[in-house]
Amino acid sequence: MSVGPRAGGTPRPRRVLPPVIAAAVVVAYVAASGRVPVRPVDVFAWLLAGLMLVSVRRPRDALRLARDWLPLLAFLLAYALARGASDTDVASAHYAVQVDFDRALAGGSLPTLWLQQALADPGVVRWYDWCAWATYVSYFVVPWAVLAVLWHGDRDRFRQLRNRIVTLVVLACAVYAAYPAVPPWLASNLGRIPPTERLLGPVWSAVGLEPARALFDTGGDVVNLVAAVPSLHAAVPALLAAWSWRAHRRIGVVAGFYALAMGFTLVYTGEHFVFDVLVGWALGAGVGLVSPHELASVLGERRRRFARG
């Protein structure tokens, strides 16, 4: 069987080898350091390096890459620098609204507690705990992977999704600043709700990534401990589902199941209340269905009508 050039394309080995090399470098880095690149800027840096390896063959390709991706990198850097602006004393962060909502929804019990009592086994990592861990961690990769695929195949749709993700993060940060809120595991640590386990920690240890576990346990400069409402972990999959549904129903259905799996994972592992997830779903779906340009047009029209009296 020939492995020569495809008609009008790059020879197959040259198409396959760069992404294989990029993936091998990431795996080797994680295995050697015990650290997983989960900060948006870190993930973005790895992705950009991979895109350069795979895509840049002419100076024009490098210019396209810079034009399309560097604005997003600048935004992520600004987000990382401003992340502390929404930090607050965890003891004064909100929890009552989320707890009351979840109890009303579940007939007096907290869904996180109910799920953990039914499924979790202290000291034992079951197969569905591995699935929950993989689903949770996928959040740090999936949006950027989708953007990378779109950038190769449809630059217009890449820019649409890129702008929606930026809009979503900006809106979420505004809510974090106005309504700092704690997740279930932290509310439990503060004595606000009955004991709740943070189930992802033991899986990090089982994988052999203790530095990653320590990072998630303490927050560090990656996790804002009072940025629980809305859940961006829930909002981003909802955005992907709503946005893809408009263009391709089957992909939208798959993305919808991904959003549901993420929601279940967040509640079961103690990372978010149901309230946080539902607010994230609503915000993500809204941004996915209504573009920033469409929203600006609607607001502009209403402003003009108001000015006319």
Side-chain angles (χ1 to χ4, degrees):
M1 181 180 292
S2 172
V3 292
R6 293 181 181 179
T10 307
R12 189 173 289 117
R14 288 180 57 191
R15 295 172 64 92
V16 174
L17 190 58
V20 170
I21 293 174
V25 170
V26 173
V27 171
Y29 167 81
V30 173
S33 67
R35 299 181 181 277
V36 180
V38 293
R39 292 185 304 175
V41 174
D42 292 342
V43 175
F44 187 88
W46 282 99
L47 176 65
L48 200 60
L51 282 172
M52 291 181 66
L53 185 63
V54 172
S55 307
V56 175
R57 299 181 180 89
R58 297 165 296 180
R60 184 173 61 184
D61 296 332
L63 291 176
R64 283 195 188 124
L65 190 70
R67 182 191 63 199
D68 289 338
W69 287 93
L70 288 185
L72 183 57
L73 176 60
F75 168 77
L76 292 176
L77 289 171
Y79 169 70
L81 292 173
R83 190 197 64 84
S86 59
D87 283 346
T88 191
D89 180 13
V90 294
S92 62
H94 298 280
Y95 71 93
V97 171
Q98 303 94 282
V99 170
D100 291 344
F101 179 90
D102 278 30
R103 281 181 171 153
L105 189 67
S109 178
L110 287 173
T112 294
L113 294 176
W114 183 86
L115 286 172
Q116 292 192 358
Q117 289 168 0
L119 299 174
D121 189 353
V124 178
V125 177
R126 299 186 180 277
W127 66 267
Y128 44 79
D129 296 322
W130 286 96
C131 293
W133 175 82
T135 301
Y136 183 89
V137 173
S138 70
Y139 162 84
F140 300 105
V141 178
V142 168
W144 313 117
V146 172
L147 283 173
V149 170
L150 287 174
W151 188 77
H152 269 283
D154 191 332
R155 300 283 170 80
D156 288 336
R157 290 181 63 76
F158 160 81
R159 285 186 282 269
Q160 292 173 17
L161 183 58
R162 178 196 63 189
N163 295 343
R164 280 172 163 81
I165 290 175
V166 169
T167 301
L168 175 63
V169 174
V170 169
L171 292 175
C173 286
V175 179
Y176 298 153
Y179 188 82
V182 296
W185 67 267
L186 187 50
S188 174
N189 289 352
L190 296 171
R192 315 298 193 197
I193 63 173
T196 301
E197 296 292 328
R198 197 179 192 190
L199 297 179
L200 292 175
V203 187
W204 283 109
S205 297
V207 176
L209 299 175
E210 285 293 346
R213 175 175 185 172
L215 183 64
F216 274 84
D217 285 345
T218 60
D221 62 348
V222 175
V223 180
N224 185 344
L225 298 180
V226 296
V229 180
S231 165
L232 266 181
H233 258 80
V236 171
L239 185 157
L240 294 175
W243 182 76
S244 5
W245 177 262
R246 298 180 66 175
H248 198 295
R249 295 296 172 87
R250 290 184 179 178
I251 295 177
V253 169
V254 172
F257 279 112
Y258 174 56
L260 291 174
M262 183 66 76
F264 175 86
T265 292
L266 296 172
V267 176
Y268 167 61
T269 58
E271 295 296 324
H272 282 283
F273 291 101
V274 174
F275 180 87
D276 312 345
V277 172
L278 293 179
V279 174
W281 280 348
L283 185 62
V287 174
L289 293 173
V290 181
S291 71
H293 176 72
E294 291 168 344
L295 181 59
S297 298
V298 170
L299 293 177
E301 180 61 26
R302 289 188 176 180
R303 188 165 51 249
R304 287 190 291 271
R305 289 181 181 178
F306 179 79
R308 290 196 298 264

